[in-house]
Amino acid sequence: MLYSEIASTLKKIEDTTKRLEMTDHLVELLKRTDREIMDIVVYLIQGKIAPDFEGIELGIAEKSLLKALHMASGIPYDEIEELYIRHGDVGIVAEDVMKRKKQMSLFSEDLTVERVYSTFREIAHKEGKGTQDLRMKMLANLFHDAKPLEARYLSRMAVSRLRLGIADMTLLDALSIAFGDKSERERVERAYNIFPDMGRIAKVLAEKGMDGLDEIRITVGVPIRAMLAERLRSLPEIIEKMGGKAAFEYKYDGIRIQAHISDDVRLFSRHLEDMTEQFPDVAEALRSAFRGKEAIVEGETVPVDINTGEMLPFQVVSHRRGRKYGLKEAVEDYPVVMFLFDVLYLDGKDLTLMPYLKRRDALREAFDVSDRVKISEVLITGDPKAAEEFFNEAIDGGCEGVMAKSISEDSIYRAGARGFLWIKYKKDYRSEMSDTVDLVPVGAFMGRGRRAGKYGALLMAAYNPDRDMFETVCKLGSGFTDEDLENLPKIFEPDVLKERHARVDSKMEPDVWFVPNHVLEVLGAEISLSPNHTCGYGQIKEGAGLAIRFPRFTGNWREDRGPEDATTTHEIVRMYEMQKKVE
Ligand code: AMP
């Protein structure tokens, strides 16, 4: 098949904005395509050489592309570069260049689909130093034989800009029309949702028709498209929608990971990108926590402070990507916990069509929980009050809210779909802090990891003048220099107590208690309700105090202040209320 057929279809698609017309053009092309190369044609239409999850990048820099055009056409590089600066679209530049091509070649061959595909694959697989030149020459070879319109699409594909608005959904429409009829669209989509490789689906359809789809199965190593949640505004509404009762899970605020566990482990993002390299610790922890042979599970990966045990904002994980440090240091300094919430495949069995409660049981049985692998917290209830309490606990634990999940018989895992089987609820009970506060250390927790033998975190309190008590408001573990950490036990030595000081009100039990004596300046990110802290307990809400989330020591020891000069409980309550109004 000639590449010009693909190019002219792409042109027709580019020239229309109507989805139905796009579909027609695609159907026409698919019908004309030999089944042997159906997968290749489908990849090329999408400007790809493989499904996204394989992570194969063409990675051709724009400069190299312009050079290849220069080589193939004989037109001076500067001129081509100027054209590019003027148009900003490599496609238009390539087309223009080919129209003006000076090197009239006698040995021009028509470009076939197979040749285009195999050249691009070869380019993608050439890695390492000194290959840039080689890749450029391979590309120049293609351009040498390309007609202007072909050059337009080849060049856009080379720099990964072949975005013509051919959404997956349009292709699925086209596939079901070309190989069956529209009523079978759902079947095609289900296959794609559990095996998101459009080329493979197209080929199976071309070779075996609709029934061929039965052989498309969930496969360890091939990511499944994620199930997504709807949103409702109140817990009673959610319970009603769920038929009177639902499972509420903590909604962790991290990064969703779909883990494919066999002898080795591969981790995929919600967008099906391979993230295994970023999270070698998660892969290892999952492998050792898993009791079976093979599984596909989903969970949320959340960074934690190993010293306070508290969850951290998920942005902390971005240190893994930045590679500012080596990955090894990032893994050590920014540990994460994987909270598993679903299992889609287990030792040869597809569980996606099983109801939620069965999947949940299977998940629980399949893993030994550990420090690094846990199962999401859950409460099954039909009582809005109980759900609300659970929600407060979730917020206090550092979560975004709760995820309600249907427990009905038809509560399957709907791959790739957003629906009411899962409903998220994240009403914002948190408010941002803009000012620092002065807090009093009333105890300390011993450190872990690098802080073993030292204090890992201090239990901090605000002062309540009405009761003449110190009420706890956070655990403080960030912002200390190595020197501070070294010195903390010495500084607090004269204040250490075995038991809680009579003027301290705390629900937490630190490893050592202090006489309230020092004052430290602290900057937090937000104030939230918390049943674990006593600051302003019961003032905003029954059964809850206030907590400062993500607190950091500013480095300022307020030696000028006595503990009774610390920020008061009232001030913190006021800050919470005021910030709620600003929102
Ligand atoms: P949102 O991103 O706000 O649409 O919320 C959906 C996301 O919440 C999912 O994609 C997961 O990444 C995340 N999540 C956190 N905890 C859970 C849970 N227990 N069950 C399902 N999803 C969860």
Side-chain angles (χ1 to χ4, degrees):
M1 185 175 195
L2 295 180
Y3 183 70
S4 59
E5 296 200 45
I6 292 191
S8 71
T9 303
L10 289 175
K11 169 86 168 62
K12 284 187 223 155
I13 290 174
E14 196 178 347
D15 289 344
T16 176
T17 51
K18 296 196 185 98
R19 187 169 158 182
L20 280 181
E21 279 178 21
M22 282 185 199
T23 314
D24 288 345
H25 296 313
L26 286 171
V27 170
E28 207 186 299
L29 178 70
L30 292 171
K31 284 194 165 155
R32 261 187 292 129
T33 301
D34 284 342
R35 31 173 110 140
E36 291 78 41
I37 54 164
M38 186 61 74
D39 45 353
I40 297 180
V41 167
V42 165
Y43 292 138
L44 290 180
I45 287 173
Q46 291 196 298
K48 295 177 187 174
I49 44 173
D52 290 343
F53 62 82
E54 286 187 14
I56 301 174
E57 298 267 342
L58 276 169
I60 292 166
E62 267 144 37
K63 270 223 147 112
S64 295
L65 180 92
L66 300 184
K67 274 192 206 153
L69 287 173
H70 156 66
M71 261 181 93
S73 67
I75 294 176
Y77 179 81
D78 288 352
E79 250 178 70
I80 296 179
E81 195 176 33
E82 221 166 89
L83 265 180
Y84 177 55
I85 292 167
R86 195 154 8 110
H87 292 290
D89 172 356
V90 288
I92 299 298
V93 174
E95 189 171 357
D96 202 28
V97 165
M98 288 305 138
K99 277 187 194 152
R100 295 197 286 148
K101 190 155 128 179
K102 286 188 181 152
Q103 287 177 345
M104 292 304 289
S105 165
L106 295 175
F107 307 104
S108 181
E109 261 177 62
D110 282 341
L111 280 182
T112 61
V113 165
E114 292 88 335
R115 178 171 158 210
V116 168
Y117 181 75
S118 64
T119 307
F120 274 129
R121 268 201 93 96
E122 234 179 294
I123 290 176
H125 283 112
K126 287 253 176 310
E127 273 179 298
K129 267 196 185 154
T131 56
Q132 190 77 352
D133 231 31
L134 192 62
R135 285 146 45 109
M136 197 252 298
K137 281 183 190 138
M138 289 161 77
L139 199 56
N141 252 330
L142 277 188
F143 282 128
H144 177 268
D145 293 330
K147 296 185 187 74
L149 193 64
E150 292 173 328
R152 180 198 291 197
Y153 297 109
L154 289 176
S155 57
R156 285 187 190 157
M157 176 163 165
V159 298
S160 308
R161 296 267 163 70
L162 194 64
R163 300 213 186 94
L164 297 165
I166 308 179
D168 287 352
M169 294 304 128
T170 313
L171 247 172
L172 290 175
D173 283 346
L175 285 173
S176 45
I177 296 167
F179 301 111
D181 66 73
K182 249 198 135 170
S183 65
E184 286 164 307
R185 166 74 162 68
E186 227 173 87
R187 253 177 106 186
V188 183
E189 191 173 338
R190 155 88 189 155
Y192 180 66
N193 284 336
I194 60 167
F195 200 109
D197 176 343
M198 202 65 88
R200 164 97 198 275
I201 306 272
K203 190 149 196 202
V204 165
L205 282 169
E207 282 173 350
K208 302 183 181 159
M210 283 294 160
D211 289 340
L213 292 179
D214 293 343
E215 70 185 46
I216 304 250
R217 304 241 166 82
I218 286 187
T219 308
V220 177
V222 176
I224 297 166
R225 297 186 71 226
M227 173 162 178
L228 302 170
E230 280 289 351
R231 177 201 303 264
L232 282 177
R233 258 172 303 156
S234 80
L235 290 166
E237 238 180 306
I238 291 175
I239 290 171
E240 197 191 316
K241 185 92 191 169
M242 293 268 178
K245 206 172 182 188
F248 290 86
E249 290 185 22
Y250 277 15
K251 184 174 188 302
Y252 300 91
D253 192 5
I255 292 176
R256 183 174 188 160
I257 286 185
Q258 189 179 91
H260 290 237
I261 312 174
S262 56
D263 289 339
D264 66 344
V265 178
R266 283 181 79 189
L267 307 175
F268 295 99
S269 74
R270 171 176 174 161
H271 302 293
L272 316 186
E273 297 139 350
D274 195 321
M275 302 207 293
T276 320
E277 255 181 48
Q278 257 180 66
F279 296 101
D281 47 338
V282 173
E284 203 184 301
L286 281 169
R287 188 54 264 184
S288 53
F290 179 49
R291 296 188 180 138
K293 280 206 170 69
E294 283 193 322
I296 301 175
V297 289
E298 276 194 339
E300 193 84 355
T301 310
V302 186
V304 286
D305 181 325
I306 41 169
N307 282 293
T308 60
E310 284 172 3
M311 293 188 220
L312 296 173
F314 80 90
Q315 290 88 341
V316 169
V317 172
S318 62
H319 291 285
R320 297 272 179 118
R321 272 191 209 124
R323 302 274 174 92
K324 206 160 84 187
Y325 316 74
L327 182 65
K328 191 164 163 281
E329 286 81 2
V331 165
E332 255 174 49
D333 289 351
Y334 302 99
V336 293
V337 175
M338 173 81 156
F339 292 94
L340 295 173
F341 56 72
D342 219 320
V343 52
L344 316 184
Y345 178 89
L346 190 59
D347 290 333
K349 258 207 225 137
D350 175 352
L351 306 193
T352 56
L353 299 176
M354 270 193 193
Y356 166 82
L357 288 174
K358 288 232 166 78
R359 296 202 307 279
R360 183 100 196 159
D361 285 345
L363 180 65
R364 241 188 240 114
E365 272 171 34
F367 285 85
D368 292 313
V369 296
S370 66
D371 259 10
R372 294 297 166 87
V373 177
K374 300 183 193 292
I375 311 276
S376 60
E377 290 289 329
V378 65
L379 173 77
I380 297 174
T381 185
D383 174 11
K385 261 214 140 134
E388 170 103 31
E389 241 164 62
F390 188 71
F391 169 80
N392 289 336
E393 271 173 45
I395 297 286
D396 181 49
C399 293
E400 278 188 298
V402 289
M403 186 70 102
K405 298 188 177 176
S406 165
I407 52 172
S408 69
E409 269 308 301
D410 59 5
S411 55
I412 58 168
Y413 183 93
R414 292 195 50 205
R418 189 182 293 285
F420 283 98
L421 289 176
W422 286 8
I423 306 176
K424 59 191 168 190
Y425 178 67
K426 4 183 228 188
K427 187 169 138 198
D428 221 339
Y429 262 142
R430 304 177 288 187
S431 48
E432 276 180 33
M433 280 178 78
S434 51
D435 211 356
T436 57
V437 284
D438 298 322
L439 302 175
V440 182
V442 294
F445 299 85
M446 296 313 290
R448 294 176 57 184
R450 290 188 184 187
R451 296 192 190 171
K454 300 174 214 154
Y455 292 157
L458 303 179
L459 180 59
M460 306 298 289
Y463 179 59
N464 184 341
D466 295 343
R467 299 172 64 210
D468 189 25
M469 291 285 274
F470 293 91
E471 300 176 344
T472 73
V473 70
C474 65
K475 280 196 205 173
L476 177 67
S478 309
F480 295 102
T481 61
D482 288 346
E483 202 186 334
D484 286 336
L485 288 170
E486 210 54 61
N487 291 333
L488 285 178
K490 247 183 283 156
I491 294 172
F492 286 100
E493 199 185 84
D495 301 322
V496 168
L497 297 172
K498 280 212 187 79
E499 308 257 329
R500 182 173 51 79
H501 189 274
R503 285 170 69 209
V504 170
D505 185 4
S506 173
K507 289 179 182 291
M508 290 196 179
E509 277 284 328
D511 296 311
V512 290
W513 293 98
F514 301 145
V515 179
N517 222 344
H518 293 275
V519 182
L520 272 66
E521 189 181 63
V522 172
L523 183 63
E526 56 194 24
I527 302 177
S528 68
L529 287 169
S530 161
N532 293 322
H533 285 287
T534 53
C535 174
Y537 201 81
Q539 289 192 29
I540 303 275
K541 199 169 175 41
E542 208 182 303
L546 290 174
I548 292 176
R549 302 204 44 216
F550 313 136
R552 255 189 106 68
F553 177 42
T554 61
N556 194 2
W557 290 82
R558 309 290 315 246
E559 298 299 359
D560 53 324
R561 301 205 158 197
E564 289 83 10
D565 301 320
T567 301
T568 63
T569 296
H570 308 301
E571 284 176 281
I572 291 183
V573 170
R574 237 186 355 257
M575 282 167 99
Y576 177 80
E577 283 171 340
M578 269 188 16
Q579 288 154 359
K580 289 306 291 175
K581 279 187 202 126
V582 173
E583 270 174 28

